[in-house]
Amino acid sequence: MALQSGEKLPMFIGHVWSKQKRRWTLLGLRLLAFLAAAAATLVMVLNKQTKTFVVATIGTTPVNLTLTAKFHHTPAFVFFAIANGLVSIHNLVMIMVDLLGSKFDYKGFQLPMIASLDMLNLALVSGGANAAAFMAELGKNGNSHARWDKICDKFGAYCDRGAGALIASFLALALMLVISFLSILNLKLVNSSSHNSHNNIIALPN
Amino acid sequence: MAKTKRIIITILLRLLAFGATLSATVVMVTSHESAEVMNIKFSAKYSNSPTFKFYVTAEAIATGYGLIVLFLSSRRSFDRLIVILDVVIALILTSSISAALAVAQIGKKGDTHAGWLPVCNQVPKFCDHVTGALIAGFVAAIVYLVLNLYSLHVFLTPLFPV
């Protein structure tokens, strides 16, 4: 790739994107990821369903049993809620840093920190989403070998809301993947001695 | 000198990760146990649970990838592609280990709210076997994370004066 001291960086696909366009694209993607992760957290935390079952009949009076399904009964869902909460906070902080932090002196650490934090949060949201997805699969299908009954036929609304939270989280995961990729592409070489990362144009080593 | 040090550290990390994923796959695949409790035969295998099947698939993919990259790590033109694929493989590994840990936790402690009894009392050796495989997978995920951060650092060190 040719080194230029202008404002354009050729991407792999051969398009030439200006710095402003890249910045606003990244910001828009971060906003979407923040909204998706926050939605996933909220839907999962507020997920609760109570149902009354008739267990036996003594004479003519039925014996009722009230069961509640809450998200914190399952550790995987607690992890899911925490992971998505952390990812939404991360995206919010990154949006603030981008919009309001241009006068702060980062001593050259801004871009590597953003790239590393994006990668770590990507791993976090991926772990949370997948753990909850497999727990949901277990709740939906049960496991005949371990004699575990499925619960989604009794608690349909709980399962539906959980599925909605999972979809939002997977959307956040896809967005975080693209954001991570863009942040890594933003890392460029310092071939001069300047430090203010907003004004530098650098190219990846080859 | 710095370049050879970088290459040695990268190769060591990749070897460690390759060993960890290989052992995770093998230990999980060879875990099976049968127990008879009151004339009911309990037979526990890794393929009884879709989560463990996913875990074995993910670790096998990571093992194959590690083997290929160990042979390719000296070519410079593949550097960036390898970094990207490393991120993807680290992602797959963390997903599979967290999913397997979630289901294994249910197997060990049960879920009283859902009426699911723990399975580990009937098949303790199977549970120990699976625990070993999960530990190896966890180590592999952490090593891949360290490898990713190190690759990022290596890409930037000759360039940043800090």
Side-chain angles (χ1 to χ4, degrees), chain A residues 10-161:
Chain A
M11 290 178 71
F12 291 150
I13 40 183
H15 292 161
V16 174
W17 275 27
S18 67
K19 198 162 145 60
Q20 287 297 90
K21 198 168 171 189
R22 258 185 298 135
R23 183 181 171 219
W24 288 113
T25 313
L26 198 57
L27 215 51
L29 285 176
R30 280 201 199 275
L31 187 64
L32 282 177
F34 162 68
L35 289 174
T41 319
L42 279 176
V43 172
M44 182 56 85
V45 166
L46 300 173
N47 200 5
K48 181 176 148 176
Q49 189 180 4
T50 312
K51 213 159 171 189
T52 313
F53 299 99
V54 178
V55 181
T57 311
I58 303 182
T60 47
T61 50
V63 173
N64 287 339
L65 180 63
T66 308
L67 287 176
T68 316
K70 293 192 201 160
F71 87 101
H72 64 80
H73 291 165
T74 314
F77 291 154
V78 173
F79 174 51
F80 174 84
I82 294 179
N84 278 293
L86 282 177
V87 165
S88 54
I89 290 178
H90 161 85
N91 280 322
L92 193 63
V93 166
M94 287 300 163
I95 292 177
M96 302 274 182
V97 160
D98 203 359
L99 290 179
L100 307 170
S102 48
K103 295 194 183 31
F104 199 71
D105 180 23
Y106 298 101
K107 299 190 181 16
F109 271 127
Q110 182 186 22
L111 293 180
M113 276 306 285
I114 291 183
S116 314
L117 281 175
D118 274 341
M119 273 202 315
L120 291 175
N121 280 89
L122 182 61
L124 190 63
V125 75
S126 154
N130 275 283
F134 274 101
M135 281 310 297
E137 191 270 342
L138 192 60
K140 195 172 180 72
N141 295 335
N143 193 332
S144 52
H145 296 103
R147 314 284 190 281
W148 290 339
D149 287 332
K150 57 175 107 165
I151 63 169
C152 270
D153 47 358
K154 304 184 194 70
F155 290 94
Y158 178 79
C159 280
D160 286 340
R161 265 174 274 162

Side-chain angles (χ1 to χ4, degrees), chain A residues 1 12 73 75-76 108 112 116 119 122-123 126-127 130-131 134-135 137 143 145-149 181 189 204-206, chain B residues 40 48 50-51 54 80 84 87 91 94-95 98-99 102 105-107 113 116-117 119 145 148 152 155-156 159-160 162:
Chain A
M1 289 184 195
F12 291 150
H73 291 165
S116 314
M119 273 202 315
L122 182 61
S126 154
N130 275 283
F134 274 101
M135 281 310 297
E137 191 270 342
N143 193 332
H145 296 103
R147 314 284 190 281
W148 290 339
D149 287 332
F181 185 56
L189 275 196
L204 277 171
N206 210 342
Chain B
I40 310 174
N48 286 346
T51 314
F54 172 60
R80 236 166 284 159
I84 294 177
V87 171
L91 207 59
T94 56
S95 328
S98 53
Q105 205 255 357
I106 295 277
H113 295 103
W116 293 339
L117 299 173
V119 178
L145 205 61
N148 274 332
L152 210 61
F155 258 136
L156 301 174
L159 323 164
F160 273 98
V162 275

Side-chain angles (χ1 to χ4, degrees), chain B:
Chain B
M1 186 55 214
K3 188 164 173 211
T4 42
K5 178 175 144 196
R6 176 170 29 126
I7 292 182
I8 287 179
I9 291 184
T10 314
I11 289 190
L12 272 179
L13 281 175
R14 285 194 200 279
L15 268 178
L16 188 60
F18 172 70
T21 50
L22 186 64
S23 56
T25 321
V26 168
V27 170
M28 181 64 94
V29 167
T30 58
S31 67
H32 58 84
E33 187 181 345
S34 301
E36 265 206 38
V37 176
M38 300 183 300
N39 259 352
I40 310 174
K41 250 187 110 56
F42 271 102
S43 127
K45 281 183 11 161
Y46 83 97
S47 53
N48 286 346
S49 165
T51 314
F52 290 155
K53 281 193 281 195
F54 172 60
Y55 181 73
V56 164
T57 314
E59 299 282 338
I61 291 177
T63 311
Y65 168 78
L67 194 61
I68 292 178
V69 165
L70 272 180
F71 289 137
L72 275 185
S73 59
S74 46
R75 302 264 218 106
R76 286 218 77 189
S77 50
F78 286 122
D79 256 358
R80 236 166 284 159
L81 182 65
I82 287 182
V83 167
I84 294 177
L85 284 180
D86 267 345
V87 171
V88 170
I89 295 278
L91 207 59
I92 294 178
L93 281 181
T94 56
S95 328
S96 64
I97 187 68
S98 53
L101 274 173
V103 171
Q105 205 255 357
I106 295 277
K108 195 168 180 75
K109 302 259 175 69
D111 189 349
T112 49
H113 295 103
W116 293 339
L117 299 173
V119 178
C120 274
N121 303 327
Q122 279 93 21
V123 281
K125 277 200 328 189
F126 173 72
C127 275
D128 289 339
H129 226 99
V130 166
T131 309
L134 290 181
I135 291 178
F138 196 62
V139 165
I142 291 188
V143 169
Y144 260 103
L145 205 61
V146 168
L147 187 65
N148 274 332
L149 290 177
Y150 185 70
S151 304
L152 210 61
H153 164 77
V154 149
F155 258 136
L156 301 174
T157 309
L159 323 164
F160 273 98
V162 275

